[in-house]
Amino acid sequence: GDGRLAGLKSIYLANSIPFEELDAAALSRRFPQFAVPEDWNALFQKDAGVLFATKCVLALWERFQARGGDSLIGHRVLSIEPPDSGGRGRVTITMSNESQYKAKHVVVAAGAWITPLAASLGLNIPTRVSEETVSFYLPRDPATAPDHSFRSMPHFIPWVPNGLGPYGYYGLPEVDVPGVKASAHYCGPTVDPDRRPPEGMQHARVLQSTADLITTMFPHLDPTPASHHTCLYTSTPDHDFVLGAHPQHPTSVFFAGGGSGHAFKFGTAAGELMARLVLGESPCESLELQSGSGRGGRQAKEVMDSRETASSRGREK
């Protein structure tokens, strides 16, 4: 944990981002929700926060519709046929309801299905789809516990061993679901998104690991979760995003995916970047096109600058 904190501190300093260093006692005084072991240290950055995910999605959806956007919900994309090799013609999309759409440009933002759709277009985008378990924890005694909502408590990224993998934990204060949200990060089982199995032993291990963290960090919370649910991560080998054009169809077919469990906060920036690529404009962030040496393909990757780690990491996923 201290090595990661030192790295994060160096990023803050390099970018003139204000922060506070807190030892265990200072952390508890500043935020009485926490009571951590005395050899723990923390960095606090006051401008970091959470996004209200449901409200964000609804706002974007409403704006999309207000600007004339149309949608087809509840049907699968069966195939995407690009134009001929000379770039003539249009992309043809065939849906499971047998309808077809033709377009000059297509952005494939298929989440957990990006790898098979890319393969159908002759492109290898390696991803791993995992089923992650998140839990919500309530105060034992709401009458005496301090406020654990976003109004009073910061989000937290404990870089400590979770016993299941190298990525520690993440957590959020109460936002719009009752309870503090927490989970061991990126340690769920690999799944087929079309055939998600019942919860098994790995889910139970994640629940136990996260309960141990709650016991260690939060004296006012009941370590038995009030609720839990699962979600999918679609992760690339290096956990960077896939944002760019198909190498053989660079003006007509584009990909956006590989969020790796930390993409939501970049949604609007990724959307702007993809719009610029589709329109043939210069991207708002630098892009690096990497040959897939050792990774079995060629993929366009967004190269986020150091501000991603410094000011945004850990917002709502």
Side-chain angles (χ1 to χ4, degrees):
D2 286 345
R4 289 180 178 264
L5 286 182
L8 187 57
K9 179 180 176 180
S10 68
I11 292 172
Y12 286 152
L13 293 171
N15 291 276
S16 301
I17 296 172
F19 65 95
E20 297 177 47
E21 296 182 81
L22 304 172
D23 61 19
L27 177 64
S28 296
R29 288 193 299 270
R30 182 70 177 274
F31 300 106
Q33 299 88 353
F34 298 93
V36 300
E38 62 180 17
D39 60 342
W40 285 24
N41 297 291
L43 294 182
F44 173 63
Q45 209 291 314
K46 65 182 181 61
D47 296 320
V50 299
L51 299 173
F52 289 24
T54 300
K55 292 181 179 179
C56 289
V57 171
L58 288 174
L60 290 169
W61 193 261
E62 291 169 357
R63 179 165 293 191
F64 168 75
Q65 292 179 320
R67 295 192 175 190
D70 196 7
S71 60
L72 179 64
I73 299 173
H75 299 282
R76 297 177 66 98
V77 174
L78 295 182
S79 66
I80 301 171
E81 298 177 30
D84 61 30
S85 58
R88 294 177 294 273
R90 299 202 169 207
V91 184
T92 302
I93 305 100
T94 302
M95 306 297 296
S96 59
N97 66 348
E98 300 184 354
S99 63
Q100 283 192 336
Y101 295 85
K102 293 184 180 294
K104 291 177 64 177
H105 314 287
V106 171
V107 177
V108 182
W113 292 266
I114 192 170
T115 294
L117 278 174
S120 73
L121 291 163
L123 184 64
N124 181 18
I125 298 179
T127 61
R128 172 181 178 258
V129 179
S130 60
E131 188 171 71
E132 307 296 331
T133 303
V134 298
S135 302
F136 297 85
Y137 299 88
L138 296 172
R140 290 190 181 91
D141 184 359
T144 60
D147 178 32
H148 285 72
S149 79
F150 67 92
R151 298 177 182 85
S152 306
M153 173 185 157
H155 66 265
F156 51 99
I157 306 175
W159 281 319
V160 296
N162 60 34
L164 301 170
Y167 297 101
Y169 301 88
Y170 74 92
L172 304 174
E174 182 173 312
V175 180
D176 53 8
V177 176
V180 171
K181 177 181 176 180
S183 181
H185 180 53
Y186 191 57
C187 52
T190 301
V191 298
D192 179 340
D194 288 317
R195 298 175 180 84
R196 293 170 69 173
E199 293 185 17
M201 287 301 299
Q202 189 65 8
H203 297 88
R205 294 187 187 101
V206 173
L207 288 171
Q208 183 58 58
S209 175
T210 311
D212 293 342
L213 176 79
I214 296 299
T215 300
T216 300
M217 289 188 65
F218 295 98
H220 303 282
L221 296 183
D222 186 341
T224 301
S227 63
H228 75 275
H229 62 80
T230 60
C231 61
L232 297 180
Y233 281 13
T234 304
S235 303
T236 61
D238 58 9
H239 291 220
D240 283 345
F241 310 147
V242 175
L243 297 172
H246 192 300
Q248 279 74 54
H249 308 285
T251 63
S252 57
V253 180
F254 303 82
F255 290 91
S260 305
H262 65 119
F264 186 83
K265 54 187 169 289
F266 297 111
T268 52
E272 181 182 357
L273 187 150
M274 295 306 300
R276 289 179 180 235
L277 289 179
V278 167
L279 296 173
E281 300 174 359
S282 298
C284 49
E285 295 282 353
S286 61
L287 287 176
E288 179 183 72
L289 192 62
Q290 294 198 351
S291 67
S293 59
R295 295 168 59 179
R298 193 170 187 229
Q299 67 181 15
K301 294 197 325 173
E302 183 177 6
V303 182
M304 301 301 295
D305 64 18
S306 59
R307 287 173 296 177
E308 182 268 329
T309 303
S311 63
S312 298
R313 184 174 180 177
R315 296 187 184 183
E316 183 155 333
K317 300 177 184 251

